[in-house]
Amino acid sequence: MDTLTAILTRRSVRKFTDEPISDEHLDLLLKAGLAAPSACNRRPIHIYVIRNRLTLDILSHNNINARMLAHAPLCLAIVADKTLETYSDLRIDDGSAVIENILIAANGLGLGGCWLGTLRQQRWYKPIIEQLKLSENMVPIGLIAIGHPNETRVPGERYDETKIHFDDK
Ligand SMILES: Cc1cc2nc3c(=O)[nH]c(=O)nc-3n(C[C@H](O)[C@H](O)[C@H](O)COP(=O)(O)O)c2cc1C
């Protein structure tokens, strides 16, 4: 699939088959993630690969919006190392660039993925820290559920010209 098609046809996929993600696909997803741009090229983002069924089950609890992890063969947790940052305000930007790269790459490979936002005030936050054994300087930015799609998502028409502002019109 060409790049633009992978971007324009990407949808969140929340239903997965039991088929595991191959090592080859995982490797490509990780490379796509770490190819993302990064503020001041500080590259504070780490990716935690979660394939253990029990861990996936635990992470599917305490957050109704993350239930699909109970049926996903893979979760990638995107985590920022605070000690590598120049500007903490750009932490989420760095992590989001990694997440979107991975979601587009997954679509291009015929896989499906869904971005799972993490909020410090969620009950879900503590289990993430505990399961990933994150130290004080490691901050979760978001998780991604990934698998072989078991649902068909039609690409939405998202282009809205009222949200585009030309300087010469
Ligand atoms: C920051 C962020 C957090 C999100 N968190 C969740 C989530 O916790 N659970 C979920 O099912 N989808 C989550 N999503 C996916 C959105 O629901 C989805 O992108 C949106 O409905 C548009 O649909 P699409 O991705 O199919 O285009 C999140 C998306 C973003 C950008």
Side-chain angles (χ1 to χ4, degrees):
M1 194 187 292
D2 68 83
T3 312
L4 205 56
T5 304
I7 292 170
L8 293 175
T9 63
R10 184 217 55 82
R11 293 295 314 273
S12 293
V13 173
R14 300 180 176 87
K15 291 184 179 145
F16 308 106
T17 69
D18 292 335
E19 189 179 344
I21 301 295
S22 68
D23 287 344
E24 186 194 355
H25 277 171
L26 175 61
D27 192 50
L28 290 168
L29 294 174
L30 299 175
K31 283 182 175 147
L34 293 188
S38 168
C40 304
N41 206 16
R42 298 288 290 173
R43 312 206 155 271
I45 301 299
H46 290 232
I47 304 175
Y48 287 69
V49 179
I50 305 161
R51 292 184 284 198
N52 179 281
R53 191 71 264 155
L54 180 61
T55 310
L56 289 163
D57 284 344
I58 291 170
L59 292 175
S60 75
H61 298 143
N62 292 311
N63 178 0
I64 196 168
N65 297 314
R67 280 175 306 185
M68 77 293 280
L69 287 175
H71 307 288
L74 173 67
C75 173
L76 298 179
I78 309 307
V79 178
D81 180 349
K82 287 198 281 188
T83 66
L84 294 177
E85 298 168 344
T86 304
Y87 303 107
S88 60
D89 280 356
L90 296 176
R91 179 184 303 156
I92 295 185
D93 309 57
D94 265 47
S96 298
V98 171
I99 294 172
E100 184 65 359
N101 263 18
I102 291 173
L103 288 173
I104 292 165
N107 188 39
L109 293 169
L111 304 173
C114 185
W115 187 324
L116 306 175
T118 58
L119 293 168
R120 193 172 282 273
Q121 63 268 31
Q122 277 174 322
R123 264 197 306 163
W124 198 46
Y125 200 79
K126 199 168 164 220
I128 294 172
I129 303 283
E130 287 171 355
Q131 291 303 312
L132 303 185
K133 301 182 177 61
L134 297 181
S135 57
E136 184 65 20
N137 56 301
M138 302 298 276
V139 186
I141 306 296
L143 273 56
I144 314 172
I146 297 176
H148 292 267
N150 202 6
E151 63 174 332
T152 306
R153 303 292 320 272
V154 178
E157 180 50 75
R158 298 278 168 79
Y159 187 77
D160 176 355
E161 61 184 17
T162 67
K163 291 180 177 161
I164 311 294
H165 306 271
F166 292 94
D167 69 348
D168 58 353
K169 282 189 189 169

